[in-house]
Amino acid sequence: GCNYRIVVVEGRVPDAYADGRAIFVTTAMTRLTVSDDQLATVVAHQMAHNVESHSTRRKGYAIGGMVLDMAAIMLLGINTGGSLSEATANALADDFESEADYLGSYMMARAGYDPETALKFWQILAMTLPDIGVDPETYAHPFNAERLNALKKAEREIREKQEAGSPLIPEQKPRASASESINERAQERDPFAE
């Protein structure tokens, strides 16, 4: 199911994150969201990270990198300073963000929120970051044309289904999926059902 606790944490940078069990939203992010739809954008995105087990998968990749870091020290005498662990943990970060954007858009629509808000909100956030001294390129949720185009595509896909009266079940195979796509799981069960 999608039953995750939502916790507001103190923070001067608009951010949110998920740990597999809960969703954390900074106070700066709550101030930036000016509508329920915008807050739903943030929560649905983080909920999608939890549903897709991104935190757990990221930790697994980090452990693999840690083994490589230790091997480099023991076998080659090279101290990598943990760089291989960090690199493997972040290897699929962009793919995880794409998955969370896509699935989060569906979650918003299923909950009755306007998925078009997601695109607009991420654009507002990207424009806000430089004003508070944060580089949008190094931000935990990077913004680029590919991400924004994917959000537009997801929004169109959802609108077409709504207009046709079709079920709002994701179709796109996530790029970072280890074994099966959202669509394959949807054939067995509705991914949003509890």
Side-chain angles (χ1 to χ4, degrees), residues 6-194:
I6 300 172
V7 180
V8 177
V9 295
E10 189 63 39
R12 73 165 198 83
V13 175
D15 202 3
Y17 52 95
D19 69 358
R21 294 180 311 266
I23 296 165
F24 301 87
V25 181
T26 64
T27 52
M29 182 67 86
T30 63
R31 285 190 297 274
L32 184 64
T33 58
V34 295
S35 71
D36 288 347
D37 286 290
Q38 288 182 348
L39 185 57
T41 297
V42 174
V43 171
H45 178 88
Q46 296 307 322
M47 190 178 296
H49 279 305
N50 280 345
V51 167
E52 290 297 313
S53 302
H54 289 162
S55 176
T56 302
R57 291 166 58 195
R58 189 171 184 263
K59 288 174 190 171
Y61 298 142
I63 290 170
M66 193 181 315
V67 170
L68 294 174
D69 285 327
M70 290 189 293
I73 291 172
M74 293 188 303
L75 300 175
L76 304 172
I78 299 171
N79 183 351
T80 63
S83 63
L84 297 175
S85 178
E86 184 177 337
T88 56
N90 294 324
L92 293 176
D94 287 347
D95 289 340
F96 286 169
E97 290 305 311
S98 294
E99 284 182 0
D101 285 343
Y102 181 73
L103 186 56
S105 293
Y106 270 89
M107 289 178 170
M108 287 180 65
R110 291 280 300 255
Y113 294 101
D114 182 0
E116 189 176 334
T117 302
L119 176 63
K120 292 175 184 173
F121 178 73
W122 294 129
Q123 289 171 322
I124 290 167
L125 181 58
M127 291 184 292
T128 302
L129 293 174
D131 293 340
I132 59 169
V134 177
D135 181 358
E137 296 299 317
T138 61
Y139 184 62
H141 299 85
F143 302 98
N144 54 45
E146 181 182 343
R147 182 177 184 190
L148 297 178
N149 286 333
L151 279 164
K152 287 178 191 174
K153 182 179 175 188
E155 189 270 327
R156 274 193 310 273
E157 182 179 302
I158 291 167
R159 288 274 179 243
E160 288 170 4
K161 287 182 180 186
Q162 288 173 325
E163 290 169 4
S166 300
L168 294 179
I169 298 175
E171 293 183 17
Q172 173 183 322
K173 180 176 181 176
R175 293 181 300 180
S177 180
S179 61
E180 59 182 335
S181 72
I182 293 172
N183 192 41
E184 290 165 341
R185 285 189 302 238
Q187 291 174 3
E188 296 174 20
R189 65 170 177 81
D190 182 340
F192 303 111
E194 293 196 37

